[in-house]
Amino acid sequence: MTQLDDQGRPEPPLEADEAGTLLGFLDFQRATLEWKCAGLDASGLRATVGASPMTLGGLLKHLAYVEDDWFSRWLHGQERRPPWDTVDWEADPDWDWRSAAGDPPEELHALWRDAVARSRSLTEDALAAGGLEQRARRTWPDGRAPSLRWILVHMIEEYARHNGHADLLRESVDGLTGE
């Protein structure tokens, strides 16, 4: 049975196998981002802190892209899906961050939630096919491919780093604080 904390986030399991532990921590980090972005209007999702152009809306869109890129594109070798497939990433490598300012909050949340749902499904498929040792179908230029284990740890790190940014951004919007 999953226990939820005071913010409704699933607590990572205290006793689970390696895959269950990694997935528990990733879901906790995902839920932290969702909590930090909840209930904000377009202005709140566009707020910045100091000289940084980073926004909560940009975080949602960036992490939706990262979810799709690692689980769909890298792990399963799928082509980029909309909206990522029409972006000239070489001309605008920060498109996901920059373009979020013009997106309605509902679209940003839906884009992120849909990407997370796909990632969960694709992770289940990879676990069933080869476990945590399952190699990504895409490779680095030297031919090496990360394992599903590596991808999950990387995603936990990606969310944890960006959730620190989300803490600062949310506090600047309405004073909401907390881990």
Side-chain angles (χ1 to χ4, degrees):
M1 179 176 179
T2 303
Q3 289 190 318
L4 301 178
D5 70 6
D6 293 341
Q7 287 74 39
R9 299 173 298 174
E11 293 281 1
L14 294 176
E15 295 182 31
D17 63 9
E18 184 181 8
T21 300
L22 291 171
L23 293 171
F25 274 91
L26 181 53
D27 279 340
F28 180 83
Q29 294 296 331
R30 286 169 170 157
T32 299
L33 179 70
E34 188 170 29
W35 168 46
K36 293 297 177 173
C37 296
L40 294 176
D41 61 10
S43 158
L45 290 176
R46 283 194 303 263
T48 61
V49 175
S52 173
M54 188 178 290
T55 66
L56 287 167
L59 282 170
L60 282 171
K61 196 165 192 175
H62 172 69
L63 286 164
Y65 170 68
V66 172
E67 291 270 1
D68 271 339
D69 200 51
W70 278 109
F71 293 103
S72 297
R73 192 162 175 259
W74 278 87
L75 184 60
H76 287 278
Q78 298 174 0
E79 293 299 317
R80 285 190 173 129
R81 61 186 340 103
W84 325 119
D85 60 340
T86 59
V87 177
D88 181 350
W89 291 101
E90 287 187 26
D92 193 355
D94 292 328
W95 178 86
D96 47 344
W97 293 97
R98 185 189 51 70
S99 65
D103 296 338
E106 311 78 45
E107 285 183 24
L108 290 169
H109 286 282
L111 182 69
W112 178 77
R113 283 189 197 108
D114 290 348
V116 168
R118 267 190 306 282
S119 294
R120 285 183 176 131
S121 176
L122 292 167
T123 298
E124 286 178 27
D125 293 348
L127 284 169
L132 292 171
E133 291 76 28
Q134 176 77 28
R135 294 285 173 187
R137 292 201 179 145
R138 294 184 65 83
T139 62
W140 285 309
D142 65 5
R144 293 179 303 143
S147 66
L148 174 57
R149 176 184 291 105
W150 187 96
I151 292 169
L152 290 171
V153 170
H154 174 68
M155 291 299 295
I156 293 165
E157 177 272 334
E158 181 85 6
Y159 271 96
R161 181 168 51 95
H162 286 315
N163 282 337
H165 301 131
D167 284 338
L168 294 171
L169 289 162
R170 184 61 188 251
E171 185 174 7
S172 76
V173 171
D174 62 8
L176 177 75
T177 60
E179 59 177 290

